[in-house]
Amino acid sequence: MIIGDPVEHSLSPAMHNAAYEALGIEDKFVFVAARIKPEQLRQAVESVRTLGIHGLTVTIPHKVDILNYLNNIDETAKKIGAVNTVVNNEGILTGYNTDWLGVITPIKNILPNIKNKKAAVIGAGGASRAMIYGLVKEGANVKIFNRTLDKARQLAEEFECEADSLDAISQVRDYDIVLNSTTLGMGDKISESPLPADLLNDKQLVFDAVYTPYQTRFLKEAEMKGAKIIHGVEMLLHQGVAQFELYTGVKAPVETMKKILVNE
Ligand code: NAP
């Protein structure tokens, strides 16, 4: 089951159900409760225990508050400060975070060793926490660039990396990996990019967390400059793959899951 608000456009149920079907697993991933308000979260979690629901996918705005209602929280989720996956083992609920794997798995598919690589994370919101955690864990030298410098500084202190304001973005020219975790490039900011294209080049790996549209302006410009690119859909996919494996204990059919995300 998935909880969030809003959640009805989530691709998670279709992605997980395609994987169950491909492997002949009889579980079903359903929207039991589409719009859970923050004040209903405790009850929603209790119903997971009562109804014996095996797995819970947690999305905005509950990823932080849910920590208060679980029996166990895995060390990684504690460090990131957010849970996106809950496994129910006979009424004992354990919270995990797989968002960071959504970032690190596709990066390592292209760049297997990111130790000592310079990584610029643009943005300092929810998505950036998983990015920063993963990159620091893999030994990259991370700097956070954010419009609100204070938020970047707070995260940098927490994850032991550097911070700067978006005004200093021209430094990105010298970075190996450039990641967007802002909302620039989607919705009413669809025509915007987090940085000028002339800061991008063919030695860089460029990652966008934004997944609608599939190809953002940022990624289009990066590709035109010869950079390798990773779409936001890959993040969605690989956090889901890790989640599927926690729920089922079996290897996820990655290509089947990817088809759902790319075709829809
Ligand atoms: P969030 O917590 O609201 O953070 C938004 C970030 O964007 C903040 O750093 C904010 O800067 C920055 N920002 C917003 N408007 C800006 C502007 N006009 N100029 C410069 N910076 C601006 O959002 P989030 O939950 O981290 O989500 C961020 C993006 O990641 C969204 O597009 C979301 O869809 C995507 N996402 C993707 C996945 C995936 O699986 N692919 C997973 C999670 C999130 P300030 O701090 O200065 O406000």
Side-chain angles (χ1 to χ4, degrees), residues 48-102:
V48 169
R49 289 194 184 92
T50 313
L51 301 175
I53 291 165
H54 178 60
L56 179 68
T57 294
V58 185
T59 183
I60 286 168
H62 306 309
K63 286 186 177 187
V64 176
D65 289 347
I66 197 153
L67 271 82
N68 298 319
Y69 305 119
L70 304 174
N71 301 97
N72 304 313
I73 296 151
D74 140 276
E75 282 307 311
T76 300
K78 260 190 216 161
K79 180 86 179 88
I80 297 174
V83 159
N84 75 326
T85 308
V86 177
V87 176
N88 177 8
N89 193 354
E90 298 185 358
I92 307 295
L93 303 188
T94 305
Y96 299 89
N97 188 305
T98 67
D99 286 333
W100 72 282
L101 285 166

Side-chain angles (χ1 to χ4, degrees), residues 225-245:
K225 293 285 179 181
K228 293 197 174 72
I229 61 167
I230 298 176
H231 296 92
V233 155
E234 292 280 318
M235 180 173 174
L236 208 55
L237 171 68
H238 287 285
Q239 63 78 28
V241 163
Q243 202 165 49
F244 181 91
E245 293 176 354

Side-chain angles (χ1 to χ4, degrees), residues 15-16 19 237 240-241 244 252-261:
M15 175 171 68
H16 283 272
L237 171 68
V241 163
F244 181 91
V254 181
E255 286 310 311
T256 302
M257 294 169 79
K258 186 169 182 172
K259 267 193 205 128
I260 298 289
L261 299 181

Side-chain angles (χ1 to χ4, degrees), residues 124-127 146-148 151 181-183 186 189 209 211 232 235-236:
N146 195 46
R147 180 177 62 178
T148 311
K151 276 165 74 181
S181 73
T182 72
T183 47
M186 65 175 290
K189 291 174 268 191
Y211 59 90
M235 180 173 174
L236 208 55

Side-chain angles (χ1 to χ4, degrees), residues 174-249:
D174 302 322
Y175 276 68
D176 305 300
I177 312 173
V178 185
L179 306 97
N180 175 40
S181 73
T182 72
T183 47
L184 295 170
M186 65 175 290
D188 57 356
K189 291 174 268 191
I190 195 163
S191 60
E192 296 181 46
S193 168
L195 49 71
D198 64 3
L199 301 179
L200 301 171
N201 64 61
D202 63 359
K203 295 186 186 57
Q204 292 168 330
L205 177 57
V206 172
F207 186 115
D208 204 341
V210 174
Y211 59 90
T212 41
Y214 177 74
Q215 182 86 334
T216 56
R217 174 174 169 191
F218 177 48
L219 290 183
K220 249 182 246 165
E221 291 180 345
E223 200 166 41
M224 268 163 24
K225 293 285 179 181
K228 293 197 174 72
I229 61 167
I230 298 176
H231 296 92
V233 155
E234 292 280 318
M235 180 173 174
L236 208 55
L237 171 68
H238 287 285
Q239 63 78 28
V241 163
Q243 202 165 49
F244 181 91
E245 293 176 354
L246 282 170
Y247 291 151
T248 64

